[in-house]
Amino acid sequence: MPCTIKFHKVSKSFKIIVTGRVQGVGFRPHVFNLAQKFGLKGSVSNNEEGVIIYLSGEFEKIQQFYKTLIQQPPKLAKIKDHHLSEVTYRAFDGFSIVPSQTGGKLNLQLTPDFAICDTCKEEITDPNNRRYHYPFTTCVNCGPRWAITNKFPFERDHTNMTVFEMCDSCATEYQDPSNRRFHSQTNSCSHCGIELKLTDAKGATISDGDVIQKTASFIKNGNIVAIKNTSGYLLCCDATNPLAIQKLRKRKRRPTKPFVILYPSLSLLKQHLKVTKIQEETLTSPESPIVIIPKTDLNGNLVVDELAPQLNQLGIMLPYSGILHLLATELGIPIVATSGNIHASPIISDADMAHQELAEVADYFLDHNLEITNPQDDSVVKFSNRFHEKVIFRRSRGLSPNFDSEVKTDQKILAMGGHLKSTLAFIPNDYLYISQYLGNLDHFDVYDRYMDTADKFTKLFQVLPEVILVDKHPTYNSTLHGMELGKKWNIPVASVQHHKAHFASVLGEHGLFGQSSPVLGVVWDGTGYGDDEQVWGGEFFKYHDQSMERVGHFEYFDWLASDKMAKEPRISFFSLADAAMNEEIQQKFSKEEISIYRHLKKKELLKTSSVGRLFDAVASLLNICDFNTYEGEAAILLENQIQQYSLENCTCYISEINDGIVPTHLLFAKIHHDYRSGRDKQEIIVDFLFTLTTMVIKMAEQQNIKEIAMSGGVFQNTVLVDMIKELAGSEYKLYFNRNLSPNDENISFGQVAYHQYIKH
């Protein structure tokens, strides 16, 4: 009789490390349930680098577990790296989630805020659910993260939720592997959680009736309500009430800048406006930004002339938090939901400050007692009409502070960014982090938050930079603060020219530094300190083999009246005006002003190549805008004159670029000639943009380059972006900022990229 030998499957132990955005996204509960499915024993925990898993069982099952985990992670997770290695065998009683263990410095992606999920929305509007009308309902798939986090790993004790002790019902959910609130660090309910408080402008509590219903009634009756949302205050009023909107404009000192409109639902929005698939997907994404949408075929009773004066587009968002969802559902109408601040100040998140600063703006305040550590404005996105190219106008809530970019340096770097649309970039470990949009550093409150953000970064990661990068402009507050920190920490400070940083930001986003073929850089914006100490803003660069050189620019014209020039487009017009334009000059300026500015032109040594100021000059010439009430107003109004265009019918105002110089004065004179001849404004603007587009292609031809990277605030003009894409066709490969705004928000990242890859 033959002998039969039985082979027993041997249990082994393995360690799995997963890095990336893996904390605060339900990763550990997901691992727990997956281990149960495969019959494996072990543990999972967060640490300072991500998630660490120990497993004991049959090797084949562990392999299957590992493959499934990496291929099917939680929907909010973004895995950067993962590693499986065998360790000494350990016997486990079962599988458990163990408390976070830290033994070193933080080295993982941070967790941004996520919009409320559909399931939580259903719960808070279901009268039979225990979370009915609880506005701070969250789960592992949604809710605030970065806004309320003080340190990592992401645990309740490390957030501002730590003061709210879970009740028995919430604790049961937290411990139940089958519940989507299993180990949800932001879990709470009306019995143990965050409380709302409604007061009038004088601070008197309004306690009668349901708070949400009462707030809705105040808005419907024409009042302005300051609402503390999960990332900061919003000022809200009825978007169908012209008197309420006018009152908000007057009190907020915001005469014409467009207001954001919060729609109660996607279905109502689609009844009122034409929404494309990509716009809908973005509005309903976990990031849930504001999306700028054309107001063509508008239905409903929005007071569009008050909401977005002279514009053919509207900034739209959907309720992304429980408090906004409940309020919008109760109202059933679109409302204004603009940042809770006085014009140009940072968004407010503290209740005491809100009542102090907004007492003359809001009629009522809806507050809550959850502290906000990292206040953030809403992110803003727009898609071009023809090619649906995404352009980020503001990168903040939901998008910051992580940034997916390969880090190829061991050097700890802090980049201070620009001045007008400031951000900070930090490499303290294997990751790059870019702060939320902070704002114009001319304003004390913004500068204070900017300095505080830099301080928070270094404290959060428990590491100081080894080098600080600043803009080349010697008097930018970002530069000055960088110099102060360098002196304080005794570390070197290096400067990066503004427009080269813009160019480097696109090269870095698309991973173009390592390629062999050259890239043409086109950087157009309002202002930046040039290598020749002039004001640059209409630049062409060539990148090749770790070298970046300026190969062309728009012809210089006089930089008049310093920063006033950016606020008054008519001054840009004056700078470019010749004798043939005296009639228009006399209409726009007093005799005394003409005398002053002519004197300035005679003695002015400072010149500019700024395309941003050229846009201003054209807007003034065409009587579209002589005075900006908000940054970039003239350029935005100029773009909004365009209803339709055909490249076949376009005419280029300039035939050649000589010695790398675009003839700005000739271009402007030809535009003036068309204006004087009575040509339609829209046609002039279209040809102006077509000329700019043609200059990009002509410069690429002259340099014999087939790849073009574009950045700078001018490229927020989506008509210009579409024109360039159409004219370039398949002959050229085009690159734009895709996960950063083309405006100065990308300067901090560009400084980092330039420092890492350009020989200097």
Side-chain angles (χ1 to χ4, degrees):
M1 185 174 180
C3 179
T4 303
I5 300 175
K6 289 186 177 181
F7 291 94
H8 297 281
K9 293 185 178 179
V10 179
S11 289
K12 295 184 176 183
S13 293
F14 287 84
K15 177 172 74 173
I16 299 173
I17 295 176
V18 187
T19 66
R21 193 171 83 184
V22 293
Q23 294 189 14
V25 294
F27 208 95
R28 290 179 298 172
H30 181 74
V31 168
F32 180 95
N33 287 314
L34 204 59
Q36 301 297 308
K37 176 182 176 181
F38 284 97
L40 297 169
K41 296 179 179 181
S43 68
V44 59
S45 66
N46 287 339
N47 68 4
E48 67 278 357
E49 294 197 347
V51 171
I52 183 167
I53 305 163
Y54 288 99
L55 293 171
S56 290
E58 297 171 11
F59 179 55
E60 290 79 7
K61 286 187 176 181
I62 291 174
Q63 278 186 314
Q64 291 172 0
F65 167 95
Y66 183 47
K67 181 179 179 181
T68 304
L69 175 66
I70 301 308
Q71 292 180 348
Q72 301 172 30
K75 64 179 182 179
L76 295 177
K78 287 185 178 179
I79 295 174
K80 181 189 179 187
D81 203 1
H82 50 88
H83 182 67
L84 171 73
S85 60
E86 187 172 0
V87 295
T88 304
Y89 179 76
R90 293 173 59 183
F92 294 94
D93 293 333
F95 195 91
S96 61
I97 297 177
V98 299
S100 295
Q101 300 172 354
T102 56
K105 294 175 181 176
L106 195 61
N107 188 24
L108 80 163
Q109 283 195 322
L110 308 181
T111 315
D113 296 346
F114 301 116
I116 184 171
C117 68
D118 290 340
T119 311
C120 284
K121 285 181 187 177
E122 291 171 5
E123 288 180 340
I124 63 177
T125 52
D126 178 5
N128 298 316
N129 192 284
R130 78 181 193 90
R131 284 190 170 80
Y132 179 60
H133 271 206
Y134 178 59
F136 304 97
T137 297
T138 65
C139 67
V140 295
N141 298 317
C142 69
R145 301 291 194 270
W146 176 239
I148 61 171
T149 297
N150 298 306
K151 61 180 180 177
F152 282 79
F154 188 78
E155 297 284 2
R156 192 181 187 93
D157 289 349
H158 294 167
T159 75
N160 295 326
M161 288 298 298
T162 188
V163 298
F164 303 99
E165 186 176 347
M166 283 186 281
C167 64
D168 290 344
S169 297
C170 286
T172 299
E173 292 171 333
Y174 185 86
Q175 295 161 6
D176 180 4
S178 65
N179 195 293
R180 77 178 195 286
R181 294 190 173 92
F182 180 43
H183 275 260
S184 172
Q185 305 305 319
T186 56
N187 193 26
S188 67
C189 70
S190 58
H191 297 293
C192 63
I194 305 149
E195 297 177 350
L196 286 175
K197 182 181 180 181
L198 182 63
T199 65
D200 63 20
K202 295 181 180 179
T205 302
I206 299 167
S207 55
D208 57 315
D210 181 271
V211 170
I212 295 292
Q213 291 177 354
K214 201 74 177 176
T215 302
S217 69
F218 286 146
I219 290 174
K220 281 186 175 180
N221 289 330
N223 292 290
I224 298 166
V225 182
I227 298 173
K228 186 179 181 182
N229 196 26
T230 49
S231 55
Y233 277 85
L234 294 172
L235 288 165
C236 300
C237 70
D238 184 352
T240 67
N241 184 333
L243 294 179
I245 300 166
Q246 290 166 12
K247 180 168 66 173
L248 179 57
R249 286 202 175 281
K250 183 178 179 181
R251 291 181 181 180
K252 201 180 181 209
R253 302 199 290 273
R254 185 169 166 168
T256 57
K257 189 175 182 180
F259 281 136
V260 174
I261 304 157
L262 176 75
Y263 262 81
S265 65
L266 179 64
S267 59
L268 183 63
L269 172 60
K270 292 170 81 169
Q271 291 174 35
H272 287 185
L273 284 168
K274 182 180 179 181
V275 181
T276 65
K277 182 181 179 182
I278 187 66
Q279 289 167 346
E280 179 177 335
E281 289 173 350
T282 305
L283 283 164
T284 57
S285 68
E287 295 78 22
S288 194
I290 297 163
V291 178
I292 299 173
I293 298 176
K295 66 179 186 184
T296 48
D297 304 320
L298 176 69
N299 295 309
N301 54 350
L302 285 177
V303 192
V304 291
D305 292 338
E306 299 290 346
L307 293 165
Q310 301 182 66
L311 299 183
N312 59 19
Q313 59 191 22
L314 298 169
I316 303 294
M317 69 177 177
L318 296 175
Y320 58 83
S321 67
I323 192 169
L324 292 181
H325 182 70
L326 287 174
L327 179 63
T329 301
E330 183 67 34
L331 281 162
I333 59 171
I335 62 172
V336 170
T338 188
S339 296
N341 57 6
I342 300 297
H343 182 57
S345 296
I347 188 171
I348 298 170
S349 62
D350 176 74
D352 291 339
M353 182 179 288
H355 282 260
Q356 179 181 334
E357 297 290 327
L358 303 177
E360 301 298 321
V361 180
D363 300 302
Y364 298 94
F365 288 80
L366 182 60
D367 303 310
H368 60 74
N369 59 340
L370 175 63
E371 186 180 347
I372 297 172
T373 300
N374 297 299
Q376 302 156 89
D377 288 283
D378 295 311
S379 295
V380 183
V381 175
K382 185 180 179 182
F383 295 92
S384 65
N385 288 339
R386 294 196 177 182
F387 291 94
H388 309 294
E389 183 75 26
K390 182 175 80 170
V391 179
I392 295 177
F393 277 54
R394 184 167 67 205
R395 179 183 174 276
S396 196
R397 176 191 52 77
L399 300 178
S400 65
N402 296 325
F403 189 72
D404 292 326
S405 177
E406 191 171 356
V407 175
K408 291 187 175 180
T409 179
D410 293 327
Q411 192 176 37
K412 310 293 187 285
I413 302 171
L414 176 62
M416 307 306 291
H419 184 84
L420 289 177
K421 294 183 179 295
S422 59
T423 60
L424 292 153
F426 193 28
I427 299 181
N429 49 39
D430 294 337
Y431 296 91
L432 168 67
Y433 308 89
I434 302 177
S435 75
Q436 65 271 27
Y437 157 85
L438 295 166
N440 185 343
L441 297 182
D442 280 331
H443 300 279
F444 173 79
D445 291 342
V446 177
Y447 187 44
D448 190 53
R449 183 164 293 174
Y450 172 87
M451 292 188 294
D452 182 59
T453 302
D455 185 57
K456 281 180 179 176
F457 265 171
T458 56
K459 288 179 178 177
L460 179 65
F461 295 100
Q462 298 177 296
V463 65
L464 293 179
E466 295 165 339
V467 64
I468 292 176
L469 307 178
V470 298
D471 192 277
K472 200 166 187 176
H473 197 298
T475 63
Y476 274 2
N477 281 333
S478 56
T479 301
L480 295 174
H481 189 53
M483 300 293 285
E484 288 174 9
L485 293 178
K487 187 175 180 181
K488 175 183 175 182
W489 295 328
N490 193 28
I491 57 176
V493 177
S495 64
V496 179
Q497 198 279 325
H498 188 88
H499 300 92
K500 292 177 181 178
H502 269 307
F503 183 21
S505 76
V506 188
L507 295 173
E509 277 206 72
H510 293 273
L512 301 177
F513 283 108
Q515 70 176 39
S516 57
S517 56
V519 182
L520 178 70
V522 182
V523 182
W524 296 344
D525 64 2
T527 179
Y529 188 85
D531 287 338
D532 59 1
E533 299 184 352
Q534 301 298 331
V535 181
W536 289 6
E539 310 309 307
F540 298 93
F541 298 98
K542 177 181 178 181
Y543 169 77
H544 186 238
D545 191 25
Q546 294 184 287
S547 177
M548 189 183 289
E549 64 173 320
R550 189 190 195 202
V551 294
H553 60 86
F554 275 67
E555 179 188 13
Y556 283 139
F557 53 99
D558 292 309
W559 182 262
L560 301 178
S562 189
D563 292 341
K564 190 177 180 182
M565 193 173 185
K567 297 173 183 176
E568 298 186 20
R570 65 179 189 144
I571 298 177
S572 293
F573 169 70
F574 194 103
S575 177
L576 281 163
D578 58 25
M581 304 175 198
N582 281 339
E583 182 180 332
E584 289 84 6
I585 290 292
Q586 290 170 8
Q587 291 171 357
K588 295 177 184 295
F589 296 88
S590 67
K591 289 182 179 179
E592 184 181 6
E593 287 175 324
I594 292 171
S595 176
I596 291 170
Y597 286 122
R598 279 180 177 164
H599 178 69
L600 287 176
K601 281 187 76 170
K602 286 178 182 178
K603 70 170 190 175
E604 184 58 70
L605 298 177
L606 193 60
K607 308 295 180 182
T608 184
S609 58
S610 171
V611 174
R613 296 293 77 82
L614 176 58
F615 267 84
D616 285 353
V618 174
S620 178
L621 168 64
L622 300 180
N623 291 318
I624 292 170
C625 182
D626 282 332
F627 298 88
N628 285 333
T629 65
Y630 58 90
E631 187 190 353
E633 180 176 9
I636 293 169
L637 293 175
L638 197 75
E639 179 185 2
N640 273 258
Q641 296 287 317
I642 301 171
Q643 301 298 324
Q644 57 185 356
Y645 67 90
S646 171
L647 288 191
E648 290 76 17
N649 299 326
C650 290
T651 302
C652 187
Y653 284 116
I654 299 170
S655 58
E656 293 297 332
I657 299 173
N658 295 313
D659 298 322
I661 307 299
V662 178
T664 313
H665 290 87
L666 177 62
L667 166 59
F668 194 66
K670 289 193 172 184
I671 293 173
H672 176 257
H673 178 270
D674 271 4
Y675 171 70
R676 275 284 185 93
S677 66
R679 193 172 177 217
D680 180 73
K681 284 183 185 179
Q682 183 183 186
E683 291 180 6
I684 294 173
I685 296 167
V686 168
D687 279 357
F688 169 52
L689 295 184
F690 179 72
T691 301
L692 297 181
T693 299
T694 305
M695 293 303 100
V696 172
I697 302 302
K698 281 186 176 293
M699 185 61 79
E701 289 173 350
Q702 286 188 8
Q703 295 293 323
N704 193 28
I705 297 175
K706 294 296 184 181
E707 298 189 41
I708 309 170
M710 285 153 280
S711 188
V714 168
F715 290 100
Q716 290 183 161
N717 187 312
T718 52
V719 175
L720 179 64
V721 169
D722 272 346
M723 272 194 182
I724 292 171
K725 289 178 76 77
E726 187 173 351
L727 192 63
S730 59
E731 188 176 349
Y732 296 91
K733 195 164 185 180
L734 306 181
Y735 302 95
F736 300 91
N737 290 110
R738 54 185 179 185
N739 295 314
L740 291 169
S741 173
N743 66 37
D744 281 7
E745 288 182 35
N746 72 43
I747 291 294
S748 61
F749 172 64
Q751 290 167 345
V752 170
Y754 185 94
H755 181 76
Q756 284 189 89
Y757 294 102
I758 303 296
K759 293 176 183 176
H760 52 277

